[in-house]
Amino acid sequence: MCGIAGYFNTEPMDPSCISSKLNSMIDSIEHRGPDGRGVKIFSTGGLGHARLAIIDLENGAQPLSAKRYNITLTFNGEIYNYRQLRKSLIEKGCCFATDSDSEVILHLYGLEGIAGFRYLRGMFAFAIHDKEKGKVVLVRDPLGIKPLFFKLNHQAIIFSSEVKGILAADSTSKLNKQGLHYLLNFRYIPDQMTLFDGISQLAPGEVLEWEIQRGSSSSRLLSMQEDDVPVESTLACIQESVEAHLVSDVPVGAYLSGGIDSSLIVSMASKHLPTPMDTFTLDVGDDKRELSNAVEGSKLLGVRHHAFSAPLHYADLVDKVLWHCELPKVNALQSWLMAKGVSSELKVVLSGLGGDELFLGYNLHKLMAVYEKSTLSLPEKANMLMGRLITSINQLCFGSIPFGYAERIGKILIQSHTPHKVYGLLRNVWDTGVLRQMIYGPAMCDESLESAYSLIGFHWDNNKTPLENARLFEFNQKMVNDLLWNEDRMSMAHGVEVRVPFVDKKLVAHVSRFSTDALMPKGEKKGYMRQAITGALPMPILTRPKSGFQLDAAHLFEIFLRDAIIKQLDSGVFQRYELFNEEFVKTILSAPVSKRHIWHYFMLFLMYQTHRWISLFDVKVH
C-alpha cells in the first residue's frame, strides 16, 4: 500500500522542473508510504511513489520499469493472487527481477495490454508510462477500494492518490458547489466528483488512457465478470477470500467490533496464523455495548486484543482529520483514532467493511423490504393524505426545527410511489426548494444545482425492485465514496493498510447470484449469511444484534460543536462565504439538546468543517 503521483505534458520539459513537481507531490502524500520514495523522470513528465513496504521488503521499490516492454509503473495496493499469476507468467517465458506483486502488473500489460488487468484480484490504483505507445494509462480496481484522482486538459495530466498531491503541482483550487450540495445531502459525494472544481476521481474499474503527444484521453471499464467462480458454499467463498487477503511479508492483524462480520474474519484468519492474532477496538460510538461485545468476542476467539479510548475533546483532531480526508466527513474521527492506535503495533489489518452491503445488514435494507411489500402496495392517495396529515402535525408541534423524524415519515408517505425518493429520504436526503432556502446562503441558492434525488433517479433501474436498487446504490455509491474513501484516508494517514475481504471480486460475484429475497429470508437482515456461517462462530457472537460505530451526535454537539459553531458565527465566516443560512444555524443552537436532532447536529458539523476546509486548502469560493 502506497501513495502514487504523476505529471505529464504534451511538450518536453526541463528535467529539474519535472523533478521539483514530482517531489512536491510526493512530499504531500508521504504519510501513505513512510518506508521509501522514488521518482522516474521522462522527457515530458514523470512518475512518483511513496512506499509502505508490505511485500518483497528488500526489492519492491518503485517506480518499477520493465525494459523488455519499455514501460514503467507506479502502483498503490495489493494483488492477492500475484503468486499464482507470477507462476503462470514464468511458464510463458517472463523473467522476474523481484518478488513483488507490482512486477506482475508490468508483465501482464506487456503481454496482453489492458486486457491483462482482468486477471488481477485485489485492491489497486496504478499508472503506467508506455514509452513505446506514447501514452499514460491510469487504472482503478473494479470495486473502487483504492482511490486515484486526476486533473487534465489538452496540455497536461496530473494524478495522485490524494487531491493534495495534485494541488502540490497545481495550487489553484476552487469550490465545486455541486459537490458541496451532494455532500450536504448524502454526507459523501457520489460518482467521480470531488469538492475541488476540475479535479475528478477514476470510477471503479476505469482505465483512462492519455496520449502524450496529442493530449487526448479515452476511458473504458475493466470487466467485473468472474468466469471461473466455483460453485461452492458461501462459507467456503468467505474463507477463501480471507485466506487470500493474508498474503504479506509483515504481520497481519484485524479490527474487531462486536458484530459478526469482523468476528468471522478474525475467526477464519486466526486459523492460518502461527500465533494469536492481534485485534483492535475503539471505545466510541452510539452503542455502549460495542467495546464489551468486542472484548467478550476476543476471548471466545482466542486472540490478543487491544482497546483504545476516544479523547474527550475533538477540537485538536478535526483539522488533522479534515486535511487527510480532503472533504468534510461525519464519521471519520473514529477511523482516524483506530488507525492511530494500530500504527504503533502493526502495518496491516483486516476489516469487516462491506459485509453489510454484500449481505444486506442495515436497517435501511429492512425498511426498503417492508416498503416494497407493504407501503408500495397501498393506494397512493391514502399514503399522500396520511403523509400530509403527519407533516401538518409536525409543523404545529415542531415548526421551528425543519426535517425532523415526523416530517421525514410524512414525506416518505407522500412520495411512496416514487421509490428512489423513498430511498433518498431513508438516507436523509433533504433536497427541496423550501429546504434549500432555509439551509443555504446566497452563494448556494443556485437553481442550476442538480437535485440529489435526480442523481439517485439516474442510477435507479425501473426493471429492478426498490430493494435491489437500494442494494446497488449502497454498494456502488455509499460504500465506495463514503466507507472505502474514509477507510483509505484515515488508515493511510498513519501508514496503515486496511484490507477488506468482503469487498473481493470472487466473493462479490458469488453473492450477486442470490436474490434479495434469498439474502433476507422473511425480511431478516443478514438472514442468509447467518444461516450460511452457522458453526463458524460461537453462538453468543452469531446471535448478537448489530451495533453502531458512529459518533453520539448529541454528545459531540455538547462537548465541541456548539462552541465551535458559535465562534464561527462571531467571526463572521458565515457572512464571508455566504454558503449557509445563519438563521438555520441559530435555530438549531437555540433548541434543547436532543438525540432526535442527530441530522441537524451532523449538518452543523458538516458546515463547520466546510469553513475549516476552505481555510486549510485555500479554496476560492466566489
Side-chain angles (χ1 to χ4, degrees), residues 27-153:
D27 286 344
S28 71
I29 59 170
E30 63 181 354
H31 50 272
R32 297 183 68 93
D35 296 333
R37 62 188 287 159
V39 297
K40 178 73 173 179
I41 308 296
F42 307 96
S43 62
T44 58
L47 300 173
H49 192 263
R51 188 184 185 210
L52 183 66
I54 304 297
I55 292 175
D56 193 1
L57 308 185
E58 296 296 324
N59 302 306
Q62 295 182 48
L64 183 65
S65 298
K67 293 182 180 179
R68 174 181 175 183
Y69 313 111
N70 219 351
I71 56 178
T72 303
L73 168 80
T74 183
F75 164 63
N76 169 34
E78 302 292 352
I79 307 301
Y80 301 125
N81 63 337
Y82 85 96
R83 287 172 179 160
Q84 299 95 306
L85 292 174
R86 189 175 191 272
K87 181 180 178 181
S88 174
L89 289 165
I90 289 173
E91 291 173 353
K92 293 178 181 179
C94 295
C95 296
F96 283 77
T98 74
D99 292 321
S100 68
D101 52 349
S102 50
E103 193 173 4
V104 165
I105 299 172
L106 284 173
H107 284 287
L108 286 174
Y109 179 76
L111 290 180
E112 297 192 30
I114 290 168
F117 301 151
R118 70 186 185 275
Y119 302 116
L120 298 175
R121 180 186 187 184
M123 53 181 183
F124 52 83
F126 58 82
I128 290 177
H129 174 257
D130 187 333
K131 187 175 181 181
E132 201 72 37
K133 296 180 180 177
K135 64 181 180 180
V136 177
V137 182
L138 307 184
V139 184
R140 188 182 184 194
D141 68 75
L143 292 170
I145 305 172
K146 291 289 102 184
L148 186 55
F149 299 89
F150 67 95
K151 183 175 185 177
L152 60 80
N153 54 45

Side-chain angles (χ1 to χ4, degrees), residues 340-355:
K340 185 172 188 267
V342 168
S343 65
S344 61
E345 304 285 339
L346 294 174
K347 282 185 179 182
V348 182
V349 287
L350 307 182
S351 166
L353 190 157

